[in-house]
Amino acid sequence: MGNPIFGSSSRSDAWGTKPGSPVGFRDTANMSADQLQQMYQQPAATSADTGRMTIGGTINKTAICLALVVIGAAIGWTIPALMLPGALVGFVLGLVNAFKKRPSPVLILLYAAAQGLFLGGLSQFLDGLYPGVAVQAVLATLCVAGVTLALYRSGKYRMTPKLNKMFMIGMIGLIAFSLLNMVLMLTGVIDGMFGMRGGVLGLVIGVVAVLLATYALVADFTMIEELSNQGAPAIMAWRGAFGLTMTLIWLYTEILRILAILRGDE
C-alpha cells in the first residue's frame, strides 16, 4: 500500500486540496488569516473520529451489556420460571455471536439480556437455600476481575504459548467433564444439586474453572488492546464487549457454585 498521505485527485478534492497535493493539507495559499487560525485550533482527529475501535468505546459497550445482564437478572430473580428459557436462548445466541465474523450489536445485547434472566433465576434459587450467597458471588467476581485486570496492566499476567496450550487442554477437559456430568444427572445415574461437580471434587474443579476464566479475561484484554492498536473498525468494539461479558458471566457462575458448595457443607 502507498503512503496514505498521498492520494488520487478525486480524494484530494474531497479534502479541499489541489490534485496532486498531499491529502489532509488544504490549499493554504488562498486562505485568510482567520481561516488559518481556525484550522490550526481544531483538535486532532481521534480513533473515534476516524471510525476506529478504541478501548474506551469497548468499555462503554461492555458497560451497556452488563447493565442489560443486571436488568435481566432482576427480572429473572422476580420470575424464576424465566431461568430455563433464558439459559437456552443465551446458549444459542452465545454460539451465534461467537462464530459470526462481523459482530452484531443487537444479537450481543439480546445475549446479555437472556443470560441475565438465567443468572437471576439461578441466583434466586441458590440464595434461597443459602442466604447472601448471591451478593458474595457478585463481590467475589468483581474482586477476581479487578485483580486480573491489575495484574494484566502491570505485565505480570500475560498470554504465552505455553499457557495457551494449558488453557486449551483445561477447557477441553472441563467441557467434556461437564457434559458427562450433565448426562449422568439427566439419566439419574447420579444425584445431587451439582452431580459430580459437588463436594470436594466440585471445589477442585471449580477452582480450576475460575483460573481458566481469569486466563480468558486476559485473552479478552489482549484482544481488545491489540485490535485497538491495529486500528480495527469501530464495530469490533462489540466483539470485545461480547467476550468480556461472556467471560464475566462464566466467572460469576463458577464462583456462585463454589460458594454454594461451601455453604452446603456448613
Side-chain angles (χ1 to χ4, degrees), residues 85-190:
L88 294 176
V89 173
F91 176 74
V92 173
L93 289 177
L95 291 178
V96 171
N97 285 311
F99 289 102
K100 278 183 67 66
K101 292 183 179 180
R102 182 179 177 84
S104 170
V106 173
L107 293 181
I108 291 172
L109 293 175
L110 288 175
Y111 163 81
Q115 287 292 74
L117 294 176
F118 164 68
L119 293 181
L122 178 64
S123 300
Q124 194 273 347
F125 172 72
L126 292 177
D127 200 78
L129 295 175
Y130 316 111
V133 71
V135 174
Q136 294 172 357
V138 170
L139 294 177
T141 300
L142 293 176
C143 289
V144 173
V147 170
T148 303
L149 176 60
L151 291 175
Y152 174 80
R153 293 290 299 274
S154 68
K156 296 180 180 179
Y157 195 3
R158 295 282 180 166
M159 296 180 66
T160 66
K162 183 176 181 180
L163 287 178
N164 288 343
K165 292 180 180 179
M166 294 175 62
F167 176 76
M168 290 303 301
I169 293 173
M171 283 299 302
I172 293 173
L174 178 63
I175 292 173
F177 181 84
S178 298
L179 289 175
L180 175 62
N181 183 52
M182 182 177 64
V183 171
L184 293 177
M185 291 180 67
L186 292 175
T187 56
V189 176
I190 57 176

Side-chain angles (χ1 to χ4, degrees), residues 18 45 50 65-66 84 96 112 123 128 145 170 198 221 231 234:
K18 292 182 177 180
T50 57
C65 290
L66 294 179
L84 182 57
V96 171
S123 300
F221 297 151

Side-chain angles (χ1 to χ4, degrees), residues 57-68:
T58 305
I59 293 174
N60 293 336
K61 292 172 175 59
T62 303
I64 295 173
C65 290
L66 294 179
L68 279 179

